[in-house]
Amino acid sequence: MTKRTYILSAFLLWAFMLQAARDTTEMRIVDISRIDTTIRLVYDLPLRRPATDYQITLQPAVVGQSDTLLLEPIVLQGKNMIRQLHRDHVLNHKDEEEPDYYPQRLRVNVLRDTMLLPLSEYRWLMADTVALCRMSQVKEGCCKVVEQDDECSEPFSYFEEKMQELPTEKQVASFVPIVAALPQEYTLNTIENTKMLVPRGRYMPYLRTEVLSRREDVLCVYYELDSITLKRNFRKNYVKLDTIVNAINTMLADTMAEIRTIQIIGLASVEGSIAHNEWLARERGKALKKYIIQETGVADSLFEVNNGGEAWAEFAWQIENSDFIGKNRVMKILKDSTIWPERKEELIKRMNGGRTYDYIRNNLLADQRNAGYIRVYYDLLTDSAAVAINTAVELIKAHNYDEALEVLLPFKDDKRTHEAIGVAYYMIGNTEEAERYWGKDLDEGQKGEQKEVEKEE
């Protein structure tokens, strides 16, 4: 072998190895991006012309974990193969238009192609780690047919590529689960120790036939005879009133508790005229409501004030559970539905020379002059925003950005959602909205600092 031949052979070997290395390194997915409802796919595919008497048919494809996108097959022709095809055309197909045996894309070493694909069908390109592969490569020539091994590019992840463009503090990888807010321990203790605090699910409308004093969740404050003035020191009302105010203030102070209804029943004793007692009962309920609003600031709309009128159900229960002369006769009168209430009172007053009624008035009727029933219905809230954030972060990690936004946007006023909303917007290409949400907390912080400066000045 001459020195010149040796140098030429070495050069050709080096060129072949360089070309082979270039084939592998240049085959790649350049970019996957989203434009509204379209996915833009850009890839580089190296093209190496076969020997003069051969042609290579290759099938490029984008291969993911869940699906494969087959691209248009490519046929690479050697020079002699092109001559043969041209000869065949002249001899057998001269009436037809002669094909381009040397297409423009084969005149470059690397083919760069751009495809626009519908998002609805090819979302997996954004979700999967994908690679560009040369598949089903068949080399045909004058003497043999060779099936060549498949080759694939380095893997490409839309998510990882885009996340590298984000500032470090915005990366989903830095997200930690949001700890959901819970009702305060003091609130829970107050609920446990205050029977007038009742879950909303146990709401009961008031019925005049109900004996309120038999219920464990009853809390009564009392009024003097023929009075609608609520006095703290009358019959130790201050104990009940302080319990009511403290319980309501506790619920109002806890963001994870919500008062739904404050139910009050005003009552009057059976002594006196029905019309007057109806007025007493109504005004006693209003007086308790007014006191609660003054002491707690709770909204007027939360109250349900019922007029219980004359407390005949309470009166009958008290008589039945007492022991005095004439009890059975009194119960007979009370159970007779044909007797009008005011007539019942007159009949009882005449019994035993008035002594039976004196006993009832001195021992029983005082307990009926009250706002005799107050319950506070409440809800303990779920930290829905925290639940939404944690759900959305998992959706973002799975590249389901639109779904993440659907979960997050109902809670956009909660600043804890801003980071995740910004990432989701960024990943769908809406950088303007992403920057707006990422800047919200910064803007709020600057406004807060400005207010502090103004206070100092």
Side-chain angles (χ1 to χ4, degrees):
M1 180 182 293
T2 66
K3 183 177 180 180
R4 182 177 179 181
T5 304
Y6 176 80
I7 293 174
L8 181 59
S9 299
F11 174 77
L12 291 174
L13 178 60
W14 173 81
F16 174 78
M17 294 176 64
L18 180 63
Q19 183 65 44
R22 184 181 295 116
D23 286 350
T24 301
T25 56
E26 291 180 347
M27 181 169 61
R28 66 192 180 108
I29 293 177
V30 178
D31 185 46
I32 296 175
S33 56
R34 174 177 171 175
I35 305 173
D36 295 328
T37 59
T38 303
I39 293 178
R40 178 174 175 266
L41 170 66
V42 183
Y43 64 89
D44 282 349
L45 183 65
L47 302 175
R48 180 158 50 94
R49 185 171 300 284
T52 184
D53 293 322
Y54 286 85
Q55 76 173 20
I56 296 176
T57 302
L58 61 90
Q59 173 65 69
V62 179
V63 180
Q65 298 166 329
S66 60
D67 209 339
T68 297
L69 170 62
L70 295 177
L71 306 175
E72 181 183 355
I74 297 175
V75 179
L76 306 174
Q77 306 282 2
K79 290 183 179 180
N80 283 345
M81 295 296 292
I82 292 175
R83 291 192 190 99
Q84 292 175 20
L85 291 170
H86 174 67
R87 186 182 302 115
D88 178 69
H89 175 78
V90 172
L91 295 175
N92 302 309
H93 306 284
K94 61 182 179 181
D95 294 333
E96 301 174 11
E97 183 179 352
E98 185 171 8
D100 184 358
Y101 305 118
Y102 197 79
Q104 181 64 36
R105 65 183 182 182
L106 300 185
R107 298 173 187 176
V108 295
N109 292 327
V110 177
L111 167 67
R112 170 162 291 188
D113 204 356
T114 300
M115 302 183 68
L116 297 178
L117 305 165
L119 174 66
S120 58
E121 297 181 33
Y122 295 96
R123 183 184 290 274
W124 60 270
L125 289 172
M126 302 171 68
D128 287 1
T129 297
V130 298
L132 179 65
C133 298
R134 290 189 298 213
M135 307 171 65
S136 304
Q137 300 181 73
V138 180
K139 183 177 180 182
E140 301 176 83
C142 61
C143 306
K144 57 183 178 180
V145 175
V146 180
E147 292 189 9
Q148 299 179 331
D149 293 336
D150 297 344
E151 292 180 310
C152 291
S153 69
E154 292 294 322
F156 181 97
S157 170
Y158 167 86
F159 183 70
E160 291 179 4
E161 290 292 323
K162 292 303 178 186
M163 291 312 295
Q164 290 176 5
E165 301 174 18
L166 293 172
T168 302
E169 65 271 16
K170 303 299 181 186
Q171 293 183 15
V172 173
S174 69
F175 286 177
V176 294
I178 301 294
V179 178
L182 298 172
Q184 299 173 10
E185 184 175 354
Y186 185 74
T187 301
L188 298 177
N189 290 336
T190 301
I191 291 171
E192 183 178 355
N193 297 317
T194 309
K195 293 182 178 180
M196 57 164 276
L197 294 174
V198 182
R200 180 177 59 162
R202 286 168 44 195
Y203 171 83
M204 293 180 60
Y206 169 67
L207 300 174
R208 287 198 176 192
T209 56
E210 185 176 7
V211 181
L212 303 177
S213 56
R214 298 182 60 182
R215 300 189 60 87
E216 291 186 356
D217 49 8
V218 164
L219 196 154
C220 295
V221 293
Y222 297 101
Y223 293 79
E224 293 177 330
L225 177 64
D226 200 26
S227 173
I228 60 172
T229 302
L230 181 58
K231 297 181 178 180
R232 282 181 56 84
N233 291 324
F234 180 68
R235 295 188 64 176
K236 295 185 177 181
N237 274 340
Y238 60 86
V239 175
K240 307 284 185 65
L241 292 173
D242 288 348
T243 297
I244 295 169
V245 169
N246 289 338
I248 291 176
N249 281 334
T250 296
M251 303 299 280
L252 292 175
D254 193 336
T255 58
M256 298 311 297
E258 188 168 284
I259 294 175
R260 296 296 188 179
T261 305
I262 301 174
Q263 187 181 51
I264 295 175
I265 313 297
L267 293 174
S269 66
V270 298
E271 52 197 322
S273 71
I274 293 178
H276 184 66
N277 287 335
E278 287 284 333
W279 176 83
L280 279 175
R282 182 178 63 252
E283 295 304 314
R284 285 169 176 171
K286 289 181 179 180
L288 178 57
K289 170 187 171 180
K290 181 179 179 181
Y291 179 88
I292 293 172
I293 291 176
Q294 288 175 343
E295 296 298 316
T296 67
V298 69
D300 180 273
S301 59
L302 294 178
F303 284 89
E304 175 195 307
V305 181
N306 296 272
N307 183 359
E310 293 185 340
W312 283 100
E314 298 289 329
F315 182 57
W317 183 82
Q318 287 177 302
I319 297 295
E320 189 172 9
N321 288 275
S322 301
D323 189 13
F324 58 90
I325 297 174
K327 168 186 171 179
N328 292 336
R329 288 181 60 194
V330 172
M331 286 302 302
K332 184 177 180 180
I333 292 171
L334 294 178
K335 291 179 180 180
D336 191 340
S337 59
T338 64
I339 303 176
W340 187 249
E342 288 186 344
R343 176 60 176 166
K344 289 180 180 181
E345 184 183 356
E346 292 177 5
L347 293 174
I348 293 172
K349 283 181 177 180
R350 295 176 184 177
M351 289 176 55
N352 197 22
R355 288 186 292 274
T356 296
Y357 187 78
D358 288 341
Y359 174 86
I360 292 173
R361 181 182 56 206
N362 296 331
N363 294 279
L364 304 180
L365 295 182
D367 286 347
Q368 297 173 33
R369 305 173 192 132
N370 57 56
Y373 186 24
I374 175 168
R375 289 202 298 190
V376 177
Y377 293 98
Y378 69 89
D379 275 337
L380 294 181
L381 305 181
T382 300
D383 190 352
S384 301
V387 174
I389 293 168
N390 292 334
T391 301
V393 168
E394 294 305 313
L395 290 170
I396 290 172
K397 289 179 179 179
H399 322 303
N400 297 323
Y401 311 114
D402 292 318
E403 293 179 35
L405 284 172
E406 289 179 9
V407 171
L408 288 168
L409 288 178
F411 305 96
K412 63 184 179 181
D413 293 334
D414 189 321
K415 65 181 181 180
R416 294 176 299 171
T417 65
H418 295 171
E419 182 107 345
I421 290 176
V423 169
Y425 270 128
Y426 186 93
M427 299 304 282
I428 65 173
N430 193 336
T431 55
E432 184 177 345
E433 280 296 299
E435 292 294 342
R436 187 168 74 86
Y437 274 92
W438 285 340
K440 273 179 177 286
D441 297 336
L442 180 60
D443 292 342
E444 290 172 5
Q446 291 174 343
K447 290 177 182 178
E449 291 176 3
Q450 182 63 32
K451 288 181 180 179
E452 291 296 325
V453 171
E454 291 174 359
K455 286 181 181 178
E456 293 176 1
E457 293 176 351

